[in-house]
Amino acid sequence: MKKTMIAALLLFGTAAVFAAITDITGKWTGAVLGPDGNSYNLTYVFKIDGENLTGTSDNTLGINAIEHGKIKDNEFVFDISANGMVIPHKGKVYTDSIALDIDYNGTPLHTVLKRAAE
């Protein structure tokens, strides 16, 4: 009985920590090195509803809605539509950051986002 109770507490504790890690609701910022060699600031505001991810992206292409966003465990995907392009994003959530891969018109870009102070 005692072992079962300890195992249940460990499982619950692990699930709670994992849930906290994957809660990316809020504002995240970073910069990405573009194909032209210049650095571009990025700001994302994420909203989570179950496995649905919505929000906005703010960068040199303007402020655009996050489309087709899905999050599962610590990985997520979404698109941004800007200037007639669909820009796919794929991310992975870590304890204090997000690694984000962006397919900008066939050019792979990578950035790390940090939670912004509200």
Side-chain angles (χ1 to χ4, degrees):
M1 174 75 171
K2 202 176 216 180
K3 287 182 182 181
T4 304
M5 191 172 184
I6 290 172
L9 287 173
L10 285 174
L11 181 62
F12 177 73
T14 302
V17 167
F18 192 70
I21 289 173
T22 58
D23 184 10
I24 61 172
T25 298
K27 187 177 194 179
W28 294 78
T29 60
V32 66
L33 189 61
D36 60 3
N38 291 317
S39 180
Y40 297 95
N41 292 327
L42 304 171
T43 300
Y44 295 89
V45 177
F46 295 120
K47 297 174 186 168
I48 305 294
D49 182 13
E51 289 188 355
N52 293 318
L53 172 65
T54 60
T56 59
S57 167
D58 185 358
N59 55 53
T60 59
L61 300 174
I63 298 174
N64 298 286
I66 290 173
E67 302 171 342
H68 313 114
K70 294 290 179 191
I71 185 165
K72 185 165 171 96
D73 299 328
N74 68 332
E75 296 184 353
F76 61 94
V77 296
F78 63 90
D79 295 329
I80 298 293
S81 295
N83 297 337
M85 291 185 295
V86 175
I87 305 167
H89 292 61
K90 183 177 180 181
K92 187 166 185 179
V93 182
Y94 295 93
T95 305
D96 64 346
S97 64
I98 292 174
L100 192 61
D101 293 310
I102 304 167
D103 180 353
Y104 182 73
N105 205 25
T107 301
L109 305 173
H110 179 80
T111 188
V112 174
L113 305 175
K114 296 288 185 172
R115 190 177 291 276
E118 299 288 328

